Amino acid sequence: MPKVSMTVNGRAVSADVEGRTLLVQVLRDKLALTGTHVGCDTSQCGACVVHVDGKSVKSCTVLAVQADGASVTTIEGLAKGNELHPMQAAFKEHHGLQCGFCTPGMVMSAVDLAQRNPDPSEHDVREWLEGNICRCTGYHNIVKAVQAGAKAMAAAK
């Protein structure tokens, strides 16, 4: 079995995996980082989005061996202690969540968008989040949260 080594949320980790093991399985099953959700098993829903080397990816579509040597950030790695990341705080403040199942993937996707575009329009947000499905909110508050989070992230730089 191959051994993969990566940095996850700033911590060096390694695991023995089968070649077919998905990154989401390593995160959830081997590292107990269960904030990364599995929603569809077909890369349709975006609940499993994490950052690999700073870019958002659906971790159900990435083999763990492909992430060997990479830096991975999960939803658990965004906050600094008890202080929420600006995007997490914006989702809370603007009620960009309801049941919360899609929220980790939405937040991780939104952070990547905000890093690329610090002032996204409603259209930009909706287009960027096309691969993230929410079955509860209708997206209105999610869009407001992403825009507010992007502004807060830009102000924090």
Side-chain angles (χ1 to χ4, degrees):
M1 269 199 281
K3 182 180 203 118
V4 294
S5 299
M6 60 189 85
T7 303
V8 178
N9 299 331
R11 186 174 62 107
V13 298
S14 60
D16 293 319
V17 298
E18 292 182 31
R20 64 183 177 179
T21 303
L22 298 170
L23 177 58
V24 70
Q25 293 169 311
V26 170
L27 296 172
R28 289 183 59 82
D29 302 339
K30 298 204 180 271
L31 302 178
L33 295 170
T34 57
T36 303
H37 295 155
V38 178
C40 66
D41 286 327
T42 59
S43 78
Q44 302 284 322
C45 74
C48 67
V49 172
V50 299
H51 294 175
V52 176
D53 292 333
K55 295 193 166 104
S56 56
V57 300
K58 292 179 178 178
S59 61
C60 74
T61 64
V62 177
L63 295 171
V65 294
Q66 291 175 289
D68 189 40
S71 175
V72 177
T73 304
T74 69
I75 193 73
E76 293 93 343
L78 286 185
K80 301 235 188 306
N82 290 330
E83 182 182 337
L84 293 177
H85 182 278
M87 190 64 71
Q88 291 172 306
F91 266 71
K92 180 180 176 185
E93 180 181 335
H94 294 275
H95 199 66
L97 57 115
Q98 198 159 341
C99 82
F101 192 80
C102 71
T103 306
M106 289 279 188
V107 168
M108 297 305 290
S109 292
V111 167
D112 189 10
L113 170 61
Q115 289 170 337
R116 296 166 189 252
N117 180 354
D119 189 22
S121 68
E122 178 179 344
H123 175 77
D124 295 336
V125 174
R126 288 184 182 276
E127 187 173 86
W128 187 265
L129 294 180
E130 274 185 349
N132 295 75
I133 295 173
C134 175
R135 291 185 166 93
C136 300
T137 68
Y139 299 91
H140 181 71
N141 288 343
I142 291 171
V143 171
K144 288 194 311 189
V146 173
Q147 290 178 305
K151 283 185 174 75
M153 286 174 61
K157 284 186 179 181

